[in-house]
Amino acid sequence: MPREAAAFQGRDETDQLRAALTNSGTAVLCQVLRGTGGVGKTQLAARYARQAWTGDELDVLVWVSASSRPAIVSAFAQAAEELLALEPGDPERSAQAFLRWLEPKPPVSEPVCRWLVVLDDVADPADVTGLWPAKSPYGRTVVTTRRRDAALPGHRIDLGVFTPAQAVAYLVDFLAEHGRHDDPDEIRALAQDLGYLPLALSQAAAYIVDAGISVGCSPCTHRQCPSYRRRLADRATNLASVLPEPSTLPDDQNTTVAITWSLSIERANNLNPAGLARPALQLTAMLDPNGIPQSVLTSGPARTYLAQHRAQTVVEQTTADEVTELDVWGALRALHRLSLIDHDPDSQQQSVRIHQLIQRATRDTLSPQGRSQTARAAGDALLEDCESWPDPHLPLAQTLRANGQAVIHCAGDALFSGSMHHHLFMHVGVSLSEAGQFTAAVEHFQDLVNRARASLGSDHPETMLARDNLASNRGQAGDARGAVDALTELLTDRLRILGPDDPRTLNTRFGLARWRGEAGDAAGAAEAYAELLTDQLRIQGPDHPRTLNTRFALARWRGSAGDAAGAAEAYAELLTDHLRIQGPDHPDTLETRHLSAEWRGRAGDAAGAAEALAELLTDRVRALGPDHPQTLHDRCCLATWRGNAGDAAGAAEALAALLTDHLRIQGPDHPETLNTRFGLARWRGEAGDAAGAAEAYAELLTDHLRIQGPDHPNTLRARLGFAIWRSDSDAAGAAEALAELLTDYLRIQGPDHPDTLEDRFWLARCRGEAGDAAGAAEALAELLTDQSRIWDPNHADILSTQNELAYWMAIRRGEAGDATGAAEALAALLVDRLQMYGPDHPSTMRMKDQLEHWRKRA
């Protein structure tokens, strides 16, 4: 037996080996410990055998290195010579004599012989034909193998890699035995880098100790430290160069991780269909180890690659025969039988899984040209069906994106050579964006821009398209100003290269106008869209979809700049044209109806907006289905306008139901899920549960910080909502929180952004509620000056500020001794407040309380 490995980790499978009965009550006489090379099968079997021997449970223990039939025969013959005193010379005859000796005998008065035979590393079930130890109540057989053939008898135990905790414990214990106590975070990261594979962990630990290098770069080490993790991550470094030499392997090992699977690959490649397992493994080595859809590996480009490389592998073939889907299935089953992959054909999205180090070792066998060719074939296989990639929120789409990112990581700049393989880069990025993963999309498109500039040049159309997508996703990720800057630079280049009338130039102007508005300049956005519309009418005509889109955006930003009634009127006119050109069920027609209702509400008709959205929802469900993202968005807006129309409790109830559907369809971290939670928190507060609203905003803020970061606009709005509803019980604390938030708004959004101005409004109000009526009035007067400079006099926020300023001026008047004047002023304000919010709104109730207070004082 091999000696016990240093820092040996106990595993649950040891108890399974020791079990005398299966769960069904069947006696366990033969157990087959299966798993890929390097998971620790031999060490686990040795631990079990050693415990049984030292525990006086055995009379005979035979350990067989069973990598071939001659090796098994030789070991059995040696056992016969030692136990039965047979003369050497005929190994087959001696081996059979030993096997007969193991057979159960009739009861006799002599003590029975308790035996254990371990067949370690059975390479081929055929090697054991006719050599299986007999079933005996006094004996047990344990087999370790990489094979998963049905021909192997016995109770099967599948052994995988260490758990993360076991892997970390192993590294800590091994390094401690050599006086090393490295950074725990780096040890955890290294265990993950190595995929928790026991053999890789032991050899990496030995290399680290022998080379005297750090596991990783902890804060206390030099930036250029020769850390193991940096070397391992270097794609230019092959796996063999970061592992010990064969002569210095730990624990009596005789093969490195880099070559431990080579024999298995050779055996799989010789199974039917001959010559396909190796190229199939090469393709999987370029894809995501956590799950590869079988449809990718059976696609046309994948089968073409397999056919070309089988012709190079199988000597008898001189031409590349066609490879069928059934052939690919056979190749995957061959790799599965040798434990090189896990093949689950019943899983649509994750049919094939493979350990990341098997991938690494497989890629290391390819030449640079072969690696690029294989990566491009994998990319083509993913792109063959790119137009039918599912909804980006579905698990299959997530799997396809992960596979695309894996190919990009493996291939890098090779995707920019030859044909248009860089389209995979673009497709993955667009899918990330459509899934709402904007931060990841920014990182992805930044990488694409860098590579495209280096490979295609700065003026190449694909480079400029990548820059456009990068800018858009920066805005979606919360950096509207960064999007404006990037699109301003891009527009300069578009004008220089393409001219002012090219559709791509017009499209850049469209995006630039949008992000100017999102950055807080609604009037500037409206002006830019008006100028763009003039040019589009001249170049593309009034009925072109992009012309209609510009009218759509122009109406929105006119409304945001203060002209809500004008926006509602513009959307009504646009709807007439959409109905004429695209019909009632076109997505653009439905969306125009949606915005027409929205601005109808913002112009003062909340009940009409709710009614129009309810009608729209019926048509949206009919046209798109109940689970479509736009249908869900309509439900969110409908609930909001019901709340604005006076039914806060109904709004909260509708949003709670909607949240359940968002969680089911889009998951907890999707932007629309978070947006629904935001609205639900608000309307819980409006319905009278201020404490519940504050608590909901606090929970939402935690998730926004985790998902979108501290500077994202949605994170800032969650902070604002938390402070507003906290003010009901702690006005002074809310004011302090709003003052801190204002500092961040000024830094991130600038002084004129609507969110900055809203924070100032609530900060002034909370100061007043905390007892500083004069300070509130002064702050509101300053705010009104700035709002009047930026917006139209009839802007809803200006009217709210005027009303709030008048309220605090009335309170000041009462505090100055004029209780009668304060009561009169509040009575006049209450008329407006009732008209704006209704009798049961918290703001209305607050004013009623103050009016009663000053009437009593008068």
PDB file of all heavy atoms in Angstrom, residues 3 6 170 174 178 199-207 210 239-240 242-260:
ATOM      1  N   ARG A   3       2.104   4.806   1.378  1.00  0.00           N
ATOM      2  CA  ARG A   3       2.068   5.384   2.709  1.00  0.00           C
ATOM      3  C   ARG A   3       1.005   6.485   2.749  1.00  0.00           C
ATOM      4  O   ARG A   3       0.647   7.058   1.723  1.00  0.00           O
ATOM      5  CB  ARG A   3       3.431   5.941   3.103  1.00  0.00           C
ATOM      6  CG  ARG A   3       3.939   7.098   2.262  1.00  0.00           C
ATOM      7  CD  ARG A   3       5.359   7.463   2.694  1.00  0.00           C
ATOM      8  NE  ARG A   3       5.938   8.493   1.832  1.00  0.00           N
ATOM      9  CZ  ARG A   3       5.852   9.798   2.091  1.00  0.00           C
ATOM     10  NH1 ARG A   3       5.193  10.221   3.160  1.00  0.00           N
ATOM     11  NH2 ARG A   3       6.407  10.687   1.274  1.00  0.00           N
ATOM     12  N   ALA A   6       0.509  13.036   3.561  1.00  0.00           N
ATOM     13  CA  ALA A   6       0.642  14.080   4.587  1.00  0.00           C
ATOM     14  C   ALA A   6      -0.650  14.883   4.654  1.00  0.00           C
ATOM     15  O   ALA A   6      -1.313  15.105   3.639  1.00  0.00           O
ATOM     16  CB  ALA A   6       1.822  14.981   4.242  1.00  0.00           C
ATOM     17  N   TYR A 170      -6.607  20.986   4.217  1.00  0.00           N
ATOM     18  CA  TYR A 170      -5.443  20.245   3.714  1.00  0.00           C
ATOM     19  C   TYR A 170      -4.251  21.179   3.503  1.00  0.00           C
ATOM     20  O   TYR A 170      -3.134  20.906   3.967  1.00  0.00           O
ATOM     21  CB  TYR A 170      -5.776  19.532   2.401  1.00  0.00           C
ATOM     22  CG  TYR A 170      -4.544  18.903   1.786  1.00  0.00           C
ATOM     23  CD1 TYR A 170      -4.093  17.669   2.204  1.00  0.00           C
ATOM     24  CD2 TYR A 170      -3.793  19.600   0.829  1.00  0.00           C
ATOM     25  CE1 TYR A 170      -2.928  17.113   1.686  1.00  0.00           C
ATOM     26  CE2 TYR A 170      -2.637  19.059   0.312  1.00  0.00           C
ATOM     27  CZ  TYR A 170      -2.208  17.815   0.746  1.00  0.00           C
ATOM     28  OH  TYR A 170      -1.045  17.287   0.240  1.00  0.00           O
ATOM     29  N   PHE A 174      -0.792  20.967   5.570  1.00  0.00           N
ATOM     30  CA  PHE A 174       0.432  20.617   4.847  1.00  0.00           C
ATOM     31  C   PHE A 174       1.487  21.716   5.022  1.00  0.00           C
ATOM     32  O   PHE A 174       2.655  21.440   5.331  1.00  0.00           O
ATOM     33  CB  PHE A 174       0.130  20.413   3.369  1.00  0.00           C
ATOM     34  CG  PHE A 174       1.289  19.880   2.573  1.00  0.00           C
ATOM     35  CD1 PHE A 174       1.364  18.540   2.242  1.00  0.00           C
ATOM     36  CD2 PHE A 174       2.318  20.717   2.138  1.00  0.00           C
ATOM     37  CE1 PHE A 174       2.433  18.046   1.496  1.00  0.00           C
ATOM     38  CE2 PHE A 174       3.385  20.240   1.411  1.00  0.00           C
ATOM     39  CZ  PHE A 174       3.447  18.895   1.085  1.00  0.00           C
ATOM     40  N   HIS A 178       5.418  22.258   7.393  1.00  0.00           N
ATOM     41  CA  HIS A 178       6.700  22.773   6.894  1.00  0.00           C
ATOM     42  C   HIS A 178       6.967  24.187   7.398  1.00  0.00           C
ATOM     43  O   HIS A 178       7.737  24.943   6.789  1.00  0.00           O
ATOM     44  CB  HIS A 178       6.713  22.745   5.359  1.00  0.00           C
ATOM     45  CG  HIS A 178       6.662  21.363   4.790  1.00  0.00           C
ATOM     46  ND1 HIS A 178       5.477  20.676   4.637  1.00  0.00           N
ATOM     47  CD2 HIS A 178       7.652  20.523   4.379  1.00  0.00           C
ATOM     48  CE1 HIS A 178       5.726  19.494   4.122  1.00  0.00           C
ATOM     49  NE2 HIS A 178       7.035  19.363   3.954  1.00  0.00           N
ATOM     50  N   LEU A 199      -5.037  15.825  -5.630  1.00  0.00           N
ATOM     51  CA  LEU A 199      -3.699  15.637  -6.197  1.00  0.00           C
ATOM     52  C   LEU A 199      -3.061  16.976  -6.537  1.00  0.00           C
ATOM     53  O   LEU A 199      -1.873  17.205  -6.273  1.00  0.00           O
ATOM     54  CB  LEU A 199      -3.780  14.757  -7.448  1.00  0.00           C
ATOM     55  CG  LEU A 199      -2.440  14.416  -8.109  1.00  0.00           C
ATOM     56  CD1 LEU A 199      -1.595  13.548  -7.185  1.00  0.00           C
ATOM     57  CD2 LEU A 199      -2.678  13.716  -9.445  1.00  0.00           C
ATOM     58  N   ALA A 200      -3.848  17.885  -7.111  1.00  0.00           N
ATOM     59  CA  ALA A 200      -3.311  19.197  -7.462  1.00  0.00           C
ATOM     60  C   ALA A 200      -2.933  19.985  -6.216  1.00  0.00           C
ATOM     61  O   ALA A 200      -1.910  20.676  -6.183  1.00  0.00           O
ATOM     62  CB  ALA A 200      -4.328  19.971  -8.292  1.00  0.00           C
ATOM     63  N   LEU A 201      -3.753  19.883  -5.183  1.00  0.00           N
ATOM     64  CA  LEU A 201      -3.454  20.598  -3.937  1.00  0.00           C
ATOM     65  C   LEU A 201      -2.144  20.107  -3.332  1.00  0.00           C
ATOM     66  O   LEU A 201      -1.319  20.914  -2.883  1.00  0.00           O
ATOM     67  CB  LEU A 201      -4.600  20.401  -2.943  1.00  0.00           C
ATOM     68  CG  LEU A 201      -5.944  21.046  -3.327  1.00  0.00           C
ATOM     69  CD1 LEU A 201      -7.063  20.493  -2.460  1.00  0.00           C
ATOM     70  CD2 LEU A 201      -5.882  22.556  -3.194  1.00  0.00           C
ATOM     71  N   SER A 202      -1.937  18.792  -3.309  1.00  0.00           N
ATOM     72  CA  SER A 202      -0.719  18.265  -2.695  1.00  0.00           C
ATOM     73  C   SER A 202       0.517  18.660  -3.493  1.00  0.00           C
ATOM     74  O   SER A 202       1.544  19.036  -2.924  1.00  0.00           O
ATOM     75  CB  SER A 202      -0.813  16.740  -2.574  1.00  0.00           C
ATOM     76  OG  SER A 202      -0.789  16.114  -3.843  1.00  0.00           O
ATOM     77  N   GLN A 203       0.412  18.593  -4.819  1.00  0.00           N
ATOM     78  CA  GLN A 203       1.587  18.928  -5.630  1.00  0.00           C
ATOM     79  C   GLN A 203       1.853  20.429  -5.632  1.00  0.00           C
ATOM     80  O   GLN A 203       3.017  20.855  -5.616  1.00  0.00           O
ATOM     81  CB  GLN A 203       1.396  18.388  -7.049  1.00  0.00           C
ATOM     82  CG  GLN A 203       1.356  16.861  -7.077  1.00  0.00           C
ATOM     83  CD  GLN A 203       1.275  16.272  -8.463  1.00  0.00           C
ATOM     84  OE1 GLN A 203       1.328  16.992  -9.474  1.00  0.00           O
ATOM     85  NE2 GLN A 203       1.141  14.965  -8.545  1.00  0.00           N
ATOM     86  N   ALA A 204       0.797  21.235  -5.625  1.00  0.00           N
ATOM     87  CA  ALA A 204       1.003  22.683  -5.543  1.00  0.00           C
ATOM     88  C   ALA A 204       1.636  23.061  -4.207  1.00  0.00           C
ATOM     89  O   ALA A 204       2.550  23.899  -4.147  1.00  0.00           O
ATOM     90  CB  ALA A 204      -0.322  23.408  -5.731  1.00  0.00           C
ATOM     91  N   ALA A 205       1.155  22.450  -3.119  1.00  0.00           N
ATOM     92  CA  ALA A 205       1.713  22.754  -1.795  1.00  0.00           C
ATOM     93  C   ALA A 205       3.187  22.366  -1.732  1.00  0.00           C
ATOM     94  O   ALA A 205       4.017  23.103  -1.173  1.00  0.00           O
ATOM     95  CB  ALA A 205       0.916  22.029  -0.718  1.00  0.00           C
ATOM     96  N   ALA A 206       3.525  21.202  -2.307  1.00  0.00           N
ATOM     97  CA  ALA A 206       4.932  20.778  -2.317  1.00  0.00           C
ATOM     98  C   ALA A 206       5.781  21.756  -3.127  1.00  0.00           C
ATOM     99  O   ALA A 206       6.905  22.103  -2.733  1.00  0.00           O
ATOM    100  CB  ALA A 206       5.034  19.372  -2.900  1.00  0.00           C
ATOM    101  N   TYR A 207       5.257  22.216  -4.247  1.00  0.00           N
ATOM    102  CA  TYR A 207       5.990  23.173  -5.081  1.00  0.00           C
ATOM    103  C   TYR A 207       6.219  24.479  -4.325  1.00  0.00           C
ATOM    104  O   TYR A 207       7.320  25.046  -4.349  1.00  0.00           O
ATOM    105  CB  TYR A 207       5.193  23.435  -6.362  1.00  0.00           C
ATOM    106  CG  TYR A 207       5.895  24.334  -7.366  1.00  0.00           C
ATOM    107  CD1 TYR A 207       6.636  23.792  -8.404  1.00  0.00           C
ATOM    108  CD2 TYR A 207       5.806  25.716  -7.274  1.00  0.00           C
ATOM    109  CE1 TYR A 207       7.264  24.617  -9.333  1.00  0.00           C
ATOM    110  CE2 TYR A 207       6.435  26.547  -8.182  1.00  0.00           C
ATOM    111  CZ  TYR A 207       7.166  25.982  -9.216  1.00  0.00           C
ATOM    112  OH  TYR A 207       7.792  26.794 -10.124  1.00  0.00           O
ATOM    113  N   ASP A 210       8.934  23.867  -1.669  1.00  0.00           N
ATOM    114  CA  ASP A 210      10.274  23.665  -2.242  1.00  0.00           C
ATOM    115  C   ASP A 210      10.804  24.928  -2.895  1.00  0.00           C
ATOM    116  O   ASP A 210      12.006  25.212  -2.830  1.00  0.00           O
ATOM    117  CB  ASP A 210      10.237  22.524  -3.273  1.00  0.00           C
ATOM    118  CG  ASP A 210       9.997  21.163  -2.630  1.00  0.00           C
ATOM    119  OD1 ASP A 210      10.216  21.060  -1.404  1.00  0.00           O
ATOM    120  OD2 ASP A 210       9.589  20.236  -3.334  1.00  0.00           O
ATOM    121  N   LEU A 239       0.807  24.034 -17.222  1.00  0.00           N
ATOM    122  CA  LEU A 239       0.565  23.497 -15.892  1.00  0.00           C
ATOM    123  C   LEU A 239       1.790  22.787 -15.333  1.00  0.00           C
ATOM    124  O   LEU A 239       2.075  22.868 -14.134  1.00  0.00           O
ATOM    125  CB  LEU A 239      -0.632  22.538 -15.950  1.00  0.00           C
ATOM    126  CG  LEU A 239      -1.265  22.105 -14.632  1.00  0.00           C
ATOM    127  CD1 LEU A 239      -1.724  23.300 -13.827  1.00  0.00           C
ATOM    128  CD2 LEU A 239      -2.441  21.170 -14.906  1.00  0.00           C
ATOM    129  N   ALA A 240       2.529  22.098 -16.197  1.00  0.00           N
ATOM    130  CA  ALA A 240       3.683  21.329 -15.722  1.00  0.00           C
ATOM    131  C   ALA A 240       4.730  22.213 -15.064  1.00  0.00           C
ATOM    132  O   ALA A 240       5.447  21.772 -14.156  1.00  0.00           O
ATOM    133  CB  ALA A 240       4.303  20.555 -16.888  1.00  0.00           C
ATOM    134  N   VAL A 242       4.358  24.684 -13.086  1.00  0.00           N
ATOM    135  CA  VAL A 242       4.036  25.160 -11.735  1.00  0.00           C
ATOM    136  C   VAL A 242       3.764  23.983 -10.796  1.00  0.00           C
ATOM    137  O   VAL A 242       3.110  24.125  -9.769  1.00  0.00           O
ATOM    138  CB  VAL A 242       2.824  26.121 -11.750  1.00  0.00           C
ATOM    139  CG1 VAL A 242       3.184  27.421 -12.428  1.00  0.00           C
ATOM    140  CG2 VAL A 242       1.610  25.481 -12.414  1.00  0.00           C
ATOM    141  N   LEU A 243       4.286  22.797 -11.159  1.00  0.00           N
ATOM    142  CA  LEU A 243       4.172  21.609 -10.334  1.00  0.00           C
ATOM    143  C   LEU A 243       5.552  21.002 -10.141  1.00  0.00           C
ATOM    144  O   LEU A 243       6.470  21.273 -10.925  1.00  0.00           O
ATOM    145  CB  LEU A 243       3.229  20.594 -10.985  1.00  0.00           C
ATOM    146  CG  LEU A 243       1.766  21.048 -11.145  1.00  0.00           C
ATOM    147  CD1 LEU A 243       0.981  20.026 -11.948  1.00  0.00           C
ATOM    148  CD2 LEU A 243       1.113  21.279  -9.786  1.00  0.00           C
ATOM    149  N   PRO A 244       5.728  20.164  -9.126  1.00  0.00           N
ATOM    150  CA  PRO A 244       7.057  19.598  -8.883  1.00  0.00           C
ATOM    151  C   PRO A 244       7.527  18.689 -10.019  1.00  0.00           C
ATOM    152  O   PRO A 244       6.721  18.169 -10.792  1.00  0.00           O
ATOM    153  CB  PRO A 244       6.854  18.791  -7.589  1.00  0.00           C
ATOM    154  CG  PRO A 244       5.576  19.270  -7.002  1.00  0.00           C
ATOM    155  CD  PRO A 244       4.740  19.735  -8.148  1.00  0.00           C
ATOM    156  N   GLU A 245       8.842  18.496 -10.091  1.00  0.00           N
ATOM    157  CA  GLU A 245       9.407  17.496 -10.996  1.00  0.00           C
ATOM    158  C   GLU A 245       8.960  16.107 -10.530  1.00  0.00           C
ATOM    159  O   GLU A 245       8.741  15.884  -9.336  1.00  0.00           O
ATOM    160  CB  GLU A 245      10.932  17.574 -10.997  1.00  0.00           C
ATOM    161  CG  GLU A 245      11.493  18.879 -11.550  1.00  0.00           C
ATOM    162  CD  GLU A 245      11.260  18.996 -13.045  1.00  0.00           C
ATOM    163  OE1 GLU A 245      11.167  17.947 -13.731  1.00  0.00           O
ATOM    164  OE2 GLU A 245      11.159  20.135 -13.537  1.00  0.00           O
ATOM    165  N   PRO A 246       8.827  15.147 -11.444  1.00  0.00           N
ATOM    166  CA  PRO A 246       8.400  13.796 -11.031  1.00  0.00           C
ATOM    167  C   PRO A 246       9.251  13.215  -9.911  1.00  0.00           C
ATOM    168  O   PRO A 246       8.745  12.452  -9.077  1.00  0.00           O
ATOM    169  CB  PRO A 246       8.524  12.994 -12.327  1.00  0.00           C
ATOM    170  CG  PRO A 246       8.332  14.001 -13.417  1.00  0.00           C
ATOM    171  CD  PRO A 246       8.957  15.267 -12.910  1.00  0.00           C
ATOM    172  N   SER A 247      10.538  13.575  -9.856  1.00  0.00           N
ATOM    173  CA  SER A 247      11.428  13.017  -8.833  1.00  0.00           C
ATOM    174  C   SER A 247      11.185  13.607  -7.449  1.00  0.00           C
ATOM    175  O   SER A 247      11.676  13.071  -6.448  1.00  0.00           O
ATOM    176  CB  SER A 247      12.884  13.247  -9.236  1.00  0.00           C
ATOM    177  OG  SER A 247      13.149  14.643  -9.353  1.00  0.00           O
ATOM    178  N   THR A 248      10.423  14.714  -7.360  1.00  0.00           N
ATOM    179  CA  THR A 248      10.205  15.369  -6.060  1.00  0.00           C
ATOM    180  C   THR A 248       8.735  15.398  -5.663  1.00  0.00           C
ATOM    181  O   THR A 248       8.326  16.217  -4.848  1.00  0.00           O
ATOM    182  CB  THR A 248      10.747  16.807  -6.098  1.00  0.00           C
ATOM    183  OG1 THR A 248      10.051  17.546  -7.117  1.00  0.00           O
ATOM    184  CG2 THR A 248      12.238  16.828  -6.390  1.00  0.00           C
ATOM    185  N   LEU A 249       7.921  14.499  -6.223  1.00  0.00           N
ATOM    186  CA  LEU A 249       6.509  14.469  -5.889  1.00  0.00           C
ATOM    187  C   LEU A 249       6.306  13.993  -4.454  1.00  0.00           C
ATOM    188  O   LEU A 249       7.036  13.122  -3.968  1.00  0.00           O
ATOM    189  CB  LEU A 249       5.751  13.538  -6.845  1.00  0.00           C
ATOM    190  CG  LEU A 249       5.666  13.997  -8.304  1.00  0.00           C
ATOM    191  CD1 LEU A 249       5.040  12.903  -9.160  1.00  0.00           C
ATOM    192  CD2 LEU A 249       4.851  15.275  -8.415  1.00  0.00           C
ATOM    193  N   PRO A 250       5.296  14.536  -3.771  1.00  0.00           N
ATOM    194  CA  PRO A 250       5.044  14.120  -2.385  1.00  0.00           C
ATOM    195  C   PRO A 250       4.287  12.799  -2.309  1.00  0.00           C
ATOM    196  O   PRO A 250       3.707  12.335  -3.299  1.00  0.00           O
ATOM    197  CB  PRO A 250       4.184  15.263  -1.840  1.00  0.00           C
ATOM    198  CG  PRO A 250       3.433  15.745  -3.036  1.00  0.00           C
ATOM    199  CD  PRO A 250       4.387  15.605  -4.206  1.00  0.00           C
ATOM    200  N   ASP A 251       4.319  12.175  -1.136  1.00  0.00           N
ATOM    201  CA  ASP A 251       3.467  11.024  -0.807  1.00  0.00           C
ATOM    202  C   ASP A 251       3.626   9.851  -1.770  1.00  0.00           C
ATOM    203  O   ASP A 251       2.655   9.166  -2.115  1.00  0.00           O
ATOM    204  CB  ASP A 251       1.991  11.457  -0.775  1.00  0.00           C
ATOM    205  CG  ASP A 251       1.735  12.591   0.198  1.00  0.00           C
ATOM    206  OD1 ASP A 251       2.406  12.626   1.240  1.00  0.00           O
ATOM    207  OD2 ASP A 251       0.885  13.453  -0.105  1.00  0.00           O
ATOM    208  N   ASP A 252       4.851   9.604  -2.237  1.00  0.00           N
ATOM    209  CA  ASP A 252       5.123   8.471  -3.134  1.00  0.00           C
ATOM    210  C   ASP A 252       4.340   8.533  -4.443  1.00  0.00           C
ATOM    211  O   ASP A 252       4.102   7.516  -5.096  1.00  0.00           O
ATOM    212  CB  ASP A 252       4.823   7.136  -2.435  1.00  0.00           C
ATOM    213  CG  ASP A 252       5.754   6.882  -1.265  1.00  0.00           C
ATOM    214  OD1 ASP A 252       6.862   7.448  -1.259  1.00  0.00           O
ATOM    215  OD2 ASP A 252       5.367   6.127  -0.350  1.00  0.00           O
ATOM    216  N   GLN A 253       3.911   9.735  -4.840  1.00  0.00           N
ATOM    217  CA  GLN A 253       3.215   9.859  -6.118  1.00  0.00           C
ATOM    218  C   GLN A 253       4.201   9.652  -7.255  1.00  0.00           C
ATOM    219  O   GLN A 253       5.387   9.963  -7.134  1.00  0.00           O
ATOM    220  CB  GLN A 253       2.552  11.236  -6.222  1.00  0.00           C
ATOM    221  CG  GLN A 253       1.495  11.494  -5.154  1.00  0.00           C
ATOM    222  CD  GLN A 253       1.106  12.956  -5.066  1.00  0.00           C
ATOM    223  OE1 GLN A 253       1.453  13.760  -5.913  1.00  0.00           O
ATOM    224  NE2 GLN A 253       0.390  13.313  -3.998  1.00  0.00           N
ATOM    225  N   ASN A 254       3.694   9.143  -8.376  1.00  0.00           N
ATOM    226  CA  ASN A 254       4.598   8.889  -9.501  1.00  0.00           C
ATOM    227  C   ASN A 254       4.216   9.613 -10.781  1.00  0.00           C
ATOM    228  O   ASN A 254       4.892   9.470 -11.798  1.00  0.00           O
ATOM    229  CB  ASN A 254       4.696   7.378  -9.773  1.00  0.00           C
ATOM    230  CG  ASN A 254       3.327   6.740  -9.950  1.00  0.00           C
ATOM    231  OD1 ASN A 254       2.373   7.407 -10.342  1.00  0.00           O
ATOM    232  ND2 ASN A 254       3.233   5.453  -9.642  1.00  0.00           N
ATOM    233  N   THR A 255       3.116  10.371 -10.747  1.00  0.00           N
ATOM    234  CA  THR A 255       2.745  11.172 -11.919  1.00  0.00           C
ATOM    235  C   THR A 255       2.288  12.539 -11.479  1.00  0.00           C
ATOM    236  O   THR A 255       1.654  12.693 -10.427  1.00  0.00           O
ATOM    237  CB  THR A 255       1.605  10.528 -12.739  1.00  0.00           C
ATOM    238  OG1 THR A 255       0.464  10.376 -11.904  1.00  0.00           O
ATOM    239  CG2 THR A 255       2.027   9.177 -13.299  1.00  0.00           C
ATOM    240  N   THR A 256       2.591  13.547 -12.289  1.00  0.00           N
ATOM    241  CA  THR A 256       2.135  14.900 -11.987  1.00  0.00           C
ATOM    242  C   THR A 256       0.699  15.075 -12.479  1.00  0.00           C
ATOM    243  O   THR A 256       0.191  14.290 -13.285  1.00  0.00           O
ATOM    244  CB  THR A 256       3.015  15.948 -12.685  1.00  0.00           C
ATOM    245  OG1 THR A 256       2.862  15.804 -14.099  1.00  0.00           O
ATOM    246  CG2 THR A 256       4.480  15.772 -12.298  1.00  0.00           C
ATOM    247  N   VAL A 257       0.065  16.130 -11.966  1.00  0.00           N
ATOM    248  CA  VAL A 257      -1.288  16.455 -12.422  1.00  0.00           C
ATOM    249  C   VAL A 257      -1.306  16.644 -13.928  1.00  0.00           C
ATOM    250  O   VAL A 257      -2.259  16.258 -14.608  1.00  0.00           O
ATOM    251  CB  VAL A 257      -1.796  17.728 -11.707  1.00  0.00           C
ATOM    252  CG1 VAL A 257      -3.075  18.237 -12.342  1.00  0.00           C
ATOM    253  CG2 VAL A 257      -2.027  17.440 -10.229  1.00  0.00           C
ATOM    254  N   ALA A 258      -0.248  17.213 -14.462  1.00  0.00           N
ATOM    255  CA  ALA A 258      -0.222  17.538 -15.893  1.00  0.00           C
ATOM    256  C   ALA A 258      -0.332  16.305 -16.773  1.00  0.00           C
ATOM    257  O   ALA A 258      -0.799  16.385 -17.907  1.00  0.00           O
ATOM    258  CB  ALA A 258       1.051  18.300 -16.228  1.00  0.00           C
ATOM    259  N   ILE A 259       0.102  15.135 -16.273  1.00  0.00           N
ATOM    260  CA  ILE A 259       0.053  13.937 -17.129  1.00  0.00           C
ATOM    261  C   ILE A 259      -0.835  12.846 -16.546  1.00  0.00           C
ATOM    262  O   ILE A 259      -0.957  11.773 -17.146  1.00  0.00           O
ATOM    263  CB  ILE A 259       1.467  13.368 -17.353  1.00  0.00           C
ATOM    264  CG1 ILE A 259       2.076  12.900 -16.025  1.00  0.00           C
ATOM    265  CG2 ILE A 259       2.368  14.371 -18.044  1.00  0.00           C
ATOM    266  CD1 ILE A 259       3.393  12.156 -16.194  1.00  0.00           C
ATOM    267  N   THR A 260      -1.479  13.097 -15.410  1.00  0.00           N
ATOM    268  CA  THR A 260      -2.228  12.028 -14.751  1.00  0.00           C
ATOM    269  C   THR A 260      -3.418  11.545 -15.564  1.00  0.00           C
ATOM    270  O   THR A 260      -3.893  10.422 -15.377  1.00  0.00           O
ATOM    271  CB  THR A 260      -2.686  12.488 -13.354  1.00  0.00           C
ATOM    272  OG1 THR A 260      -3.121  11.363 -12.607  1.00  0.00           O
ATOM    273  CG2 THR A 260      -3.824  13.497 -13.445  1.00  0.00           C
TER     274      THR A 260
END
